[in-house]
Amino acid sequence: MAFSIADIIKQQVNSASGGVQIPANLQNQVLGGLSDSILGSLTQTAASKGGVNIITDLLTGKTSAAKSPVTSLAGSLFTKNILKNLNLGTATNAALVGLIPTALTGVTKLFKDQNGDGKVDINDVIIALGGTLGGGGLFGGLLGGLFKKK
């Protein structure tokens, strides 16, 4: 069964969030906002000059999630679009933003060398998402998911 990048991000965010106290009435908004911010950061980074290299460096481990511009942008998006409206307090906000590198690290671990060629590339991402290397359907879906096209 094929998974989308959004599904994988959501799974990793949910997994990472266990140690942070999130008010029950805000949990879906906060976790959804984290997931959307990470996906938005990947999308904006992929569309920017040099962005594919930044994402490749993240996926291959050349740049850690903690130091990646993808993480920094996701934190900015999350703070601007979600946290500024919730009044959760400085400590909770910091803890929630701190989940982003953990979630991204989880995502990158899923996109390891899947086809045994010794490197992480788009083929490995396709395989990790449940596709095959032969068809363009999943590849188009992957790019559509990143760039919000169908």
Side-chain angles (χ1 to χ4, degrees), residues 116-133:
D117 65 358
K119 60 185 179 186
V120 178
D121 55 25
I122 193 66
N123 294 325
D124 299 305
V125 173
I126 291 168
I127 293 168
L129 290 172
T132 62
L133 296 177

Side-chain angles (χ1 to χ4, degrees), residues 22-46:
I22 304 168
N25 63 324
L26 298 175
Q27 193 162 4
N28 287 339
Q29 183 178 1
V30 168
L31 296 179
L34 275 166
S35 298
D36 291 346
S37 297
I38 292 170
L39 183 59
S41 177
L42 286 166
T43 302
Q44 288 182 33
T45 301

Side-chain angles (χ1 to χ4, degrees), residues 64-105:
S64 71
K67 295 183 180 187
S68 174
V70 173
T71 303
S72 180
L73 178 56
S76 295
L77 292 171
F78 182 60
T79 299
K80 177 182 148 193
N81 297 330
I82 303 298
L83 292 180
K84 77 173 188 172
N85 302 317
L86 297 181
N87 299 316
L88 295 174
T90 305
T92 301
N93 287 355
L96 289 169
V97 170
L99 295 175
I100 294 171
T102 303
L104 271 171
T105 297

Side-chain angles (χ1 to χ4, degrees), residues 2-65:
F3 295 98
S4 71
I5 289 178
D7 290 337
I8 291 170
I9 291 169
K10 183 182 273 189
Q11 289 170 354
Q12 294 304 313
V13 165
N14 288 337
S15 175
S17 68
V20 179
Q21 296 293 329
I22 304 168
N25 63 324
L26 298 175
Q27 193 162 4
N28 287 339
Q29 183 178 1
V30 168
L31 296 179
L34 275 166
S35 298
D36 291 346
S37 297
I38 292 170
L39 183 59
S41 177
L42 286 166
T43 302
Q44 288 182 33
T45 301
S48 69
K49 183 176 182 177
V52 172
N53 289 334
I54 290 170
I55 292 172
T56 300
D57 288 349
L58 176 64
L59 292 177
T60 60
K62 186 174 180 182
T63 302
S64 71

